[in-house]
């Protein structure tokens, strides 16, 4: 994942720290700060994040970091926003199972990447006790699910799946067993595991397991 860079917020801008788009000056500061924050999360965890230390590590002024993000939670929220924006787009193969397999492989590669996997573990752990981090994490996954949901809707249109199938639930069903291994069992996250997750989700979807009940749209 590549990061871009920063600009300070406009004077008097009422927007919440960590949510303002880069602008004005170049985006280099934002890139450096987000990269430093991600590295620190991956290496040391959420509770070691300190804005002054992130500024030192990114080689930018402390005032800029405090003005731009305000809090550690604001910085993590912006990091997750950037990660969602930089994530790879979905694959379109014309086959539900192949599309879901591509999604499963993307999740697997992310979670097994030394830096990305450690970063996600730190953010997920932080989200259990920090409401703003949890909200940012939820937004991140909403963006990723929305990116892949069209492959399910297209499968419905092709007649591969029953009408009323909840596309978001199918996408979540692909990644759920991979995250379970990642966070709880410690079992290998290998291509075979990704394949099983994709095939299981596709089979359940074809059987109507994800069809929305009346009144639950």
């Amino acid at each position: 994942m590549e990061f871009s860079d920063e600009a300070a917020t406009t004077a008097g801008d009422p927007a919440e720290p960590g949510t303002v788009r880069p602008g004005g000056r170049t985006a280099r500061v934002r890139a450096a700060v987000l990269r430093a924050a991600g590295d620190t999360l991956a290496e040391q965890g959420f509770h070691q994040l300190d804005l002054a230390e992130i500024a030192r590590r990114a080689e930018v002024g402390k005032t800029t970091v405090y003005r731009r993000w305000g809090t550690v939670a604001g910085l993590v929220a912006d990091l997750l926003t950037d990660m969602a924006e930089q994530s790879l787009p979905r694959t379109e193969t014309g086959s539900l199972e192949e599309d879901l397999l591509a999604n499963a492989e993307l999740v697997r590669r992310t979670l097994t990447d030394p830096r990305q996997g450690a970063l996600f573990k730190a953010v997920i752990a932080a989200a259990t006790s920090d409401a703003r981090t949890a909200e940012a994490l939820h937004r991140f996954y909403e963006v990723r699910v929305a990116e892949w949901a069209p492959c399910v809707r297209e499968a419905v249109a092709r007649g591969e799946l029953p009408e009323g199938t909840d596309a978001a639930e199918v996408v979540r069903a692909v990644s759920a067993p991979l995250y379970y291994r990642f966070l709880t069992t410690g079992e290998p996250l290998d291509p075979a595991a990704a394949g099983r997750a994709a095939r299981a989700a596709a089979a359940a979807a074809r059987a109507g397991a994800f069809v929305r009940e009346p009144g639950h749209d």
Side-chain angles (χ1 to χ4, degrees), residues 125-136:
T128 64
S129 59
D130 184 89
R132 189 171 174 190
T133 302
E135 181 183 351

Side-chain angles (χ1 to χ4, degrees), residues 2-184:
E2 294 184 3
F3 297 96
S4 60
D5 207 329
E6 166 233 46
T9 56
T10 303
D13 192 329
E16 186 179 14
T19 62
V20 181
R21 291 284 186 177
R25 292 191 295 162
T26 67
R28 283 192 297 273
V29 172
R30 182 175 184 248
V33 170
L34 294 184
R35 185 164 51 248
D39 288 345
T40 302
L41 271 171
E43 295 165 9
Q44 303 176 30
F46 179 83
H47 295 293
Q48 296 302 314
L49 280 181
D50 175 79
L51 294 187
E53 175 59 21
I54 293 299
R56 185 200 64 77
R57 188 164 181 166
E59 300 183 340
V60 302
K62 286 191 295 184
T63 301
T64 296
V65 174
Y66 279 98
R67 183 175 66 244
R68 172 71 171 84
W69 288 278
T71 65
V72 166
L75 178 57
V76 172
D78 197 28
L79 176 63
L80 286 166
T81 296
D82 187 71
M83 288 167 62
E85 292 170 351
Q86 299 299 331
S87 293
L88 294 174
R90 68 185 176 93
T91 299
E92 297 182 55
T93 68
S95 160
L96 173 69
E97 196 159 307
E98 290 300 316
D99 286 350
L100 295 185
L101 178 59
N103 176 252
E105 263 300 304
L106 178 60
V107 172
R108 185 191 72 81
R109 289 195 305 270
T110 298
L111 297 182
T112 56
D113 179 83
R115 182 181 186 276
Q116 295 281 59
L119 193 157
F120 271 102
K121 275 189 177 178
V123 172
I124 291 169
T128 64
S129 59
D130 184 89
R132 189 171 174 190
T133 302
E135 181 183 351
L137 188 64
H138 295 161
R139 286 198 303 268
F140 171 85
Y141 284 117
E142 284 173 2
V143 169
R144 297 312 298 147
V145 169
E147 171 70 21
W148 285 84
C151 74
V152 180
R153 291 195 289 268
E154 290 162 9
V156 173
R158 291 192 301 265
E160 285 189 69
L161 296 178
E163 291 289 338
T165 295
D166 189 321
E169 285 300 308
V170 176
V171 176
R172 294 188 190 105
V174 174
S175 59
L178 302 178
Y179 273 91
Y180 185 81
R181 282 178 175 243
F182 176 65
L183 295 171
T184 63

